[in-house]
Amino acid sequence: MAAVDAPRIRQERRRTAWRLGLWIAAAVLFAGLPTVFPSGTALTTMSLMGIMIVFALSYNMLLGQTGMLSFGHAVYYGLGGFLAVHAMNLAIGDRLPVPVIVVPLVGAAAGLLFGIVFGSVSTRRGGTAFAMISLGIGELVASSALILRSFFGGEEGVTTNRARLLRLFDWNFGPQLQVYYLIAAWCLVCMVAMYALSRTPFGRMCNAVRDNPERAEFIGYSAQAVRFIAFCLAGGFAGVAGGLAAINFEIMNSVNVGAAQSGSVLLMTYIGGTGSFIGPVLGAVLITFLQLMLSDATEVWQLYFGLLFITMVVFAPSGIAGILMMHAPLWRARVLHRVVPAYLLAALPCLLGLAGVSLVIEMTYRLTVKANEGSAFRFLYQPVDAKSAVPWIIAALLVIGGFWLFRRVRPIVADAFGEAMLVARRKGWA
Amino acid sequence: MGMTAPALELVGLHKSFGRVAVIRGVDLQIEAGERHAIIGPNGAGKSTLFHLISGRFPPSSGAIRLKGRDIAGLPPYEIRRRGLARSFQVTNIFPRLSVFENLRCGLLWPMGYKYAFWRNVDRLVELNERSERLLEEIGLADRRHLPAGVLTYSEQRALEIGIALAGGADVLMLDEPTAGMSRSETDQTVELIRRVTAGKALVVVEHDVGVVFGLADRISVLVYGEIIATDTPDNIRRSEAVQEAYLGTARHGEGAR
Ligand SMILES: Nc1ncnc2c1ncn2[C@@H]1O[C@H](COP(=O)(O)OP(=O)(O)OP(=O)(O)O)[C@@H](O)[C@H]1O
Ligand SMILES: [Mg+2]
């Protein structure tokens, strides 16, 4: 027996070593990022990314791991955040010896507690019933947030001051750099914890319930119990993210428990890819980055997110991680470079089409919402007048031309990929 | 003797869907160590009987006792925990999990891991060894990493049975285990079933007459929701009532397939 299993044990050891290496690399990366990107904006962005990684991973415990589509996950993030803010204010007021680094635990407890309360109602059924109830609970909490002013602080929200909590050595966590490290540390711990969770008997059964809740019951597991535990734990991790947000922004308001925040985590997770652990991480990083970039560049940035989301659902339902995974055999077989020219070729029509679509969006926005500010604006550094016909014609040409070119280029890309895949398969990598 | 309760006991079992009575008063006792086959024409209610016993639907009336304890109306997971496992006529697996993972999941509860979210499955040596052995036994060792959903039909059938066998339940119920398998696959499967059910109770629904007569200690004939005969294979083969009600039609049916 032992002799037969030796290679498998060795393989398992190697895999464990690999994983440990990856986590150490992640830790080094997190520690080193501020040296590479020391600017204030970069630190704020990276802090937000860390928070969103935890939030999106907690969401994927439901969507990707257990097959539960929630429209109200911000409830646990937001309530975790509010409780954390109140806890911080309490600690400041009563001069309690609480360092800010443990505040996310308050968020975790709040998320877990509300997960237990709302989960006991919503996880009785899976599928559409669960999705609908999650939406209902989301609305319920969001509207309560506007009514219960003493707790949620109404429209303005509740503020705090993280620098006034107990100092840890000579760190008071006032400067953004210190907050970044706090978030990075919590983010890494949560990532490891959530990854480990997916490798437990419970985690495996989450996947089983996702695939076939009925059969899961015939092998001894209550699908409802699996959903409930997953829901509570996901609530707890979302609460950590909320606690980190409370520390980072020093303010929480009703928007944080609302539908927009719930939608945004769904978007990140889905675009990143629900089928793997790394997907939501990629989604959180990319979407946070785009959100900050686009909200600087255009006022209708949410519209672009809608478009991106639709594009992903239609063309790449397995998300960014899914696309990367598809290329893993090519990478291993060292033929990835063969598809690059075709991809570059495909990028051209995509960029043309994108330019056309965004020109239409921006001109429409000028003529409707911003009608009283005049029709002239700048697009890609060019002056544009939305009232004249020329830019509309150009936009139409860009869209139609981009589409036409895309149709022509598509088979070329498919061929390039197919051929590279063939080589990879011949080398035994797929 | 007579002191130990039968492995499985059905008393006056009825099931109606709306006005349609599908199971119309079934009484049956199956002892531990017995291999029992249920045969009957299409639509007789064999699968429905399985669903009642395994908890997929509650019976309309009657009692179901597993090792002497009433299980009628309990949810499927409770019944599994009390030692009754089953397979399905229509393949019912975890399509996105790997073949290995399908089997390992089948072993988790019987091995006592419950909802543990603090242990690493890859480090549970006995769990993995038993999954491995089961994988070999159902002949899917070279498919271990594939998602179960991409297997061929007969491979999925083997996996379907494998999930039911995982954990070695005291009472095993297999609904047409060899349907869609080739002759040699059928023989292997029957051999496996025979081996793992030694000393345990087996209830099997089968249309393949060779499998039924080769495997069963006793046979019940279910026709229109009623058991018209329960006896040894030899006596069933000789019974005229059975010939008339089922075996003749089954031979025709076999030819038509
Ligand atoms: N959920 C249901 N609702 C209504 N009628 C049902 C339901 N399930 C089964 N039936 C009916 O009950 C009868 C028995 O079906 P069942 O599947 O138990 O037969 P079976 O003996 O397993 O047949 P087969 O050999 O074809 O598998 C059939 O007439 C079927 O239409
Ligand atoms: Mg049937």
Side-chain angles (χ1 to χ4, degrees):
Chain A
M1 201 77 222
V4 178
D5 281 351
R8 188 149 291 136
I9 290 171
R10 220 175 306 135
Q11 191 187 349
E12 189 53 44
R13 286 227 184 93
R14 210 175 311 137
R15 228 179 271 153
T16 312
W18 243 109
R19 256 177 235 145
L20 189 66
L22 279 178
W23 287 122
I24 292 172
V28 171
L29 178 73
F30 282 15
L33 275 174
T35 321
V36 186
F37 305 104
S39 77
T41 339
L43 285 179
T44 340
T45 309
M46 293 186 302
S47 301
L48 192 52
M49 284 174 180
I51 296 169
M52 287 304 145
I53 287 173
V54 177
F55 192 22
L57 279 175
S58 81
Y59 186 74
N60 205 41
M61 285 173 70
L62 299 179
L63 183 61
Q65 305 276 352
T66 322
M68 302 160 80
L69 174 61
S70 167
F71 291 116
H73 200 50
V75 165
Y76 312 93
Y77 168 85
L79 289 176
F82 272 106
L83 262 298
V85 167
H86 285 298
M88 283 159 81
N89 287 340
L90 190 75
I92 294 168
D94 293 355
R95 301 191 165 280
L96 302 176
V98 180
V100 73
I101 191 143
V102 303
V103 165
L105 287 178
V106 176
L112 188 66
L113 189 77
F114 285 103
I116 291 171
V117 172
F118 293 130
S120 61
V121 188
S122 62
T123 59
R124 276 169 205 240
R125 310 249 315 271
T128 314
F130 169 79
M132 291 301 119
I133 297 172
S134 77
L135 189 65
I137 292 172
E139 286 305 303
L140 188 85
V141 172
S143 52
S144 314
L146 290 175
I147 299 165
L148 303 171
R149 300 185 140 264
S150 56
F151 183 81
F152 291 100
E155 312 254 297
E156 302 85 59
V158 189
T159 57
T160 186
N161 184 349
R162 65 189 178 224
R164 289 181 56 204
L165 270 82
L166 183 73
R167 300 173 72 94
L168 218 51
F169 309 108
D170 56 350
W171 281 36
N172 70 352
F173 293 99
Q176 189 64 38
L177 181 64
Q178 295 181 6
V179 173
Y180 166 82
Y181 279 121
L182 184 153
I183 291 172
W186 268 98
C187 178
L188 195 66
V189 168
C190 288
M191 282 173 78
V192 172
M194 282 188 264
Y195 180 77
L197 200 53
S198 73
R199 309 293 318 163
T200 64
F202 162 75
R204 307 284 79 205
M205 283 313 297
C206 284
N207 292 173
V209 166
R210 171 198 67 199
D211 277 18
N212 189 345
E214 187 194 42
R215 186 62 187 261
E217 302 233 314
F218 286 94
I219 60 173
Y221 284 85
S222 154
Q224 185 194 331
V226 171
R227 281 194 297 265
F228 176 68
I229 299 171
F231 192 81
C232 296
L233 294 175
F237 282 107
V240 172
L244 292 174
I247 295 168
N248 186 52
F249 300 117
E250 301 181 293
I251 180 168
M252 274 280 144
N253 64 38
S254 56
V255 173
N256 297 120
V257 294
Q261 187 81 61
S262 292
S264 145
V265 74
L266 194 169
L267 211 85
M268 284 178 194
T269 311
Y270 192 91
I271 289 176
T274 58
S276 64
F277 184 78
I278 197 72
V281 179
L282 297 177
V285 170
L286 180 80
I287 299 296
T288 305
F289 180 71
L290 281 182
Q291 261 170 1
L292 295 176
M293 284 262 304
L294 279 177
S295 58
D296 276 349
T298 166
E299 285 158 71
V300 285
W301 55 275
Q302 274 154 324
L303 223 154
Y304 290 91
F305 273 104
L307 282 176
L308 176 63
F309 187 57
I310 294 169
T311 312
M312 291 301 285
V313 173
V314 174
F315 292 104
S318 54
I320 298 167
I323 296 175
L324 293 180
M325 234 55 116
M326 216 167 76
H327 290 85
L330 304 191
W331 167 261
R332 293 206 193 98
R334 296 173 201 284
V335 287
L336 191 57
H337 60 274
R338 297 198 194 178
V339 293
V340 172
Y343 285 6
L344 285 177
L345 197 62
L348 181 72
C350 292
L351 288 176
L352 290 181
L354 181 65
V357 170
S358 30
L359 185 53
V360 170
I361 291 174
E362 295 300 328
M363 287 194 296
T364 313
Y365 179 63
R366 280 284 140 184
L367 292 182
T368 52
V369 183
K370 285 282 169 95
N372 52 0
E373 287 179 29
S375 57
F377 68 106
R378 298 185 80 82
F379 182 81
L380 295 176
Y381 310 104
Q382 297 298 313
V384 175
D385 183 2
K387 281 229 170 85
S388 79
V390 181
W392 288 94
I393 294 169
I394 292 175
L397 284 177
L398 282 172
V399 173
I400 296 168
F403 185 72
W404 180 80
L405 262 179
F406 183 74
R407 295 279 304 258
R408 311 223 93 190
V409 169
R410 207 174 155 159
I412 300 176
V413 175
D415 282 353
F417 183 81
E419 266 167 43
M421 203 61 171
L422 217 61
V423 177
R425 213 164 280 152
R426 226 177 291 136
K427 291 189 184 176
W429 284 114
Chain B
M1 301 306 291
M3 295 291 287
T4 50
L8 187 65
E9 186 179 19
L10 311 179
V11 185
L13 204 58
H14 284 262
K15 179 68 183 180
S16 309
F17 293 107
R19 292 235 187 90
V20 190
V22 176
I23 298 297
R24 306 184 302 156
V26 167
D27 295 274
L28 188 63
Q29 283 201 3
I30 295 164
E31 304 296 331
E34 175 181 348
R35 298 193 182 96
H36 197 104
I38 296 179
I39 60 174
N42 292 114
K46 304 179 296 293
S47 294
T48 306
L49 191 62
F50 266 42
H51 294 332
L52 295 181
I53 298 168
S54 62
R56 194 186 220 179
F57 322 125
S60 303
S61 67
I64 306 169
R65 294 197 196 98
L66 180 65
K67 295 179 256 178
R69 289 166 69 191
D70 196 2
I71 56 163
L74 289 182
Y77 52 89
E78 278 295 341
I79 294 171
R80 175 67 189 89
R81 292 172 196 178
R82 286 163 198 225
L84 184 147
R86 68 163 295 185
S87 75
F88 290 79
Q89 181 178 358
V90 179
T91 303
N92 201 355
I93 55 180
F94 304 106
R96 284 168 64 192
L97 300 189
S98 73
V99 172
F100 181 76
E101 202 69 74
N102 268 268
L103 297 173
R104 191 159 68 171
C105 282
L107 278 160
L108 286 175
W109 193 282
M111 289 188 67
Y113 294 115
K114 304 190 175 173
Y115 299 100
F117 51 77
W118 50 87
R119 321 184 62 152
N120 184 337
V121 273
D122 295 326
R123 300 246 173 88
L124 301 172
V125 177
E126 202 197 333
L127 173 71
N128 289 296
E129 279 178 6
R130 282 179 67 175
S131 313
E132 204 68 55
R133 223 173 303 143
L134 191 54
L135 189 67
E136 304 265 340
E137 281 173 338
I138 60 171
L140 294 181
D142 56 341
R143 295 283 183 273
R144 56 180 321 179
H145 293 302
L146 285 184
V150 308
L151 296 182
T152 66
Y153 178 76
S154 72
E155 286 171 339
Q156 289 192 352
R157 289 304 301 164
L159 181 60
E160 170 70 44
I161 297 166
I163 297 171
L165 297 186
D170 300 327
V171 180
L172 181 66
M173 302 182 68
L174 304 175
D175 196 348
E176 305 204 11
T178 68
M181 288 188 181
S182 70
R183 194 70 250 165
S184 70
E185 286 166 341
T186 299
D187 291 344
Q188 278 170 18
T189 305
V190 169
E191 204 40 58
L192 174 62
I193 294 171
R194 196 196 309 280
R195 188 150 42 83
V196 299
T197 54
K200 299 188 169 156
L202 169 73
V203 191
V204 60
V205 168
E206 240 331 320
H207 281 297
D208 185 319
V209 177
V211 171
V212 170
F213 286 93
L215 195 59
D217 301 318
R218 286 199 305 157
I219 297 175
S220 288
V221 183
L222 188 74
V223 179
Y224 288 118
E226 283 177 305
I227 291 184
I228 60 163
T230 297
D231 216 325
T232 60
D234 284 343
N235 289 344
I236 289 289
R237 211 196 297 266
R238 281 196 287 269
S239 156
E240 255 168 50
V242 174
Q243 291 288 345
E244 214 165 283
Y246 175 58
L247 285 182
T249 53
R251 294 231 173 84
H252 291 177
E254 216 81 56
R257 265 182 221 191

